Amino acid sequence: GQSLEQPSEVTAVEGAIVQINCTYQTSGFYGLSWYQQHDGGAPTFLSYNALDGLEETGRFSSFLSRSDSYGYLLLQELQMKDSASYFCAVRAKHDYKLSFGAGTTVTVRA
Amino acid sequence: GAVVSQHPSWVICKSGTSVKIECRSLDFQATTMFWYRQFPKQSLMLMATSNEGSKATYEQGVEKDKFLINHASLTLSTLTVTSAHPEDSSFYICSATSGSSSYNEQFFGPGTRLTVL
């Protein structure tokens, strides 16, 4: 099976930078994804890494090191609207199933 | 593009009744749809995977006779919670993938909040 670990909570002020780490254990690996979910809402896709390195999409970046079974999501120039839960998810097989981490609640304060 | 809808968005039912939740891909054909359950402040737990025209594959511990999944077309999957009980109260979310992107991104529906009295 798959297991993922990420911090449960992070608090930061507006304009700050937050890094959410995710370590995983999986029998196979096809990629690591990140999703954002606001309270009561649906998860929305943020990024995907299949190869080592950094992927940048606006204020959000995601990094992957397959040798370390580790990735992170970097949130820059934090805004109040970034307050949400962030989930890492691993795709372990050739099918399309995702296994999600427990989620990190990010709270942005003024 | 890549919009997934769910209906209803919330439902309250009495214990022992059955509830059907629909998941539709609005602007693409979904080769595969997934059903998740999420309890408050917890992660998404995959319940089952469904492919159009074939039986759903259920995750370990999920009762297939209680959670009936039908994937009748490339744009519609339904989840029926049979003989619902209060412990079935949860947020049910579907997702769909078209299989056309390089990483087969899952597009999530807005979720259905089920409350069983």
Side-chain angles (χ1 to χ4, degrees), chain A residues 59-79:
Chain A
R59 295 187 296 114
F60 296 174
S61 304
S62 59
F63 172 83
L64 175 66
S65 169
R66 288 174 297 169
S67 60
D68 295 323
S69 297
Y70 161 78
Y72 67 71
L73 179 70
L74 193 70
L75 315 179
Q76 302 180 79
E77 300 173 21
L78 275 180
Q79 301 176 9

Side-chain angles (χ1 to χ4, degrees), chain B residues 6-113:
Chain B
Q6 273 184 250
H7 177 80
S9 54
W10 59 269
V11 57
I12 301 172
C13 70
K14 292 182 178 179
S15 187
T17 61
S18 295
V19 174
K20 180 185 282 189
I21 302 170
E22 291 187 351
C23 176
R24 293 182 185 272
S25 58
L26 299 185
D27 50 3
F28 68 100
Q29 292 187 325
T31 54
T32 306
M33 287 184 167
F34 303 88
W35 287 96
Y36 295 85
R37 182 166 53 181
Q38 185 179 34
F39 292 107
K41 304 297 183 185
Q42 294 189 23
S43 187
L44 286 80
M45 298 302 297
L46 180 65
M47 300 175 66
T49 303
S50 74
N51 294 289
E52 183 262 341
S54 60
K55 289 184 179 180
T57 303
Y58 290 81
E59 295 300 300
Q60 193 171 8
V62 178
E63 301 174 57
K64 61 180 181 180
D65 293 330
K66 180 170 182 64
F67 298 99
L68 301 178
I69 291 172
N70 183 278
H71 194 157
S73 75
L74 283 172
T75 59
L76 173 64
S77 176
T78 59
L79 167 68
T80 301
V81 184
T82 62
S83 186
H85 291 285
E87 57 266 31
D88 298 323
S89 298
S90 187
F91 193 46
Y92 291 86
I93 310 173
C94 72
S95 72
T97 180
S98 65
S100 61
S101 71
S102 61
Y103 47 84
N104 299 310
E105 175 185 346
Q106 289 189 25
F107 301 98
F108 285 83
T112 297
R113 191 162 301 281

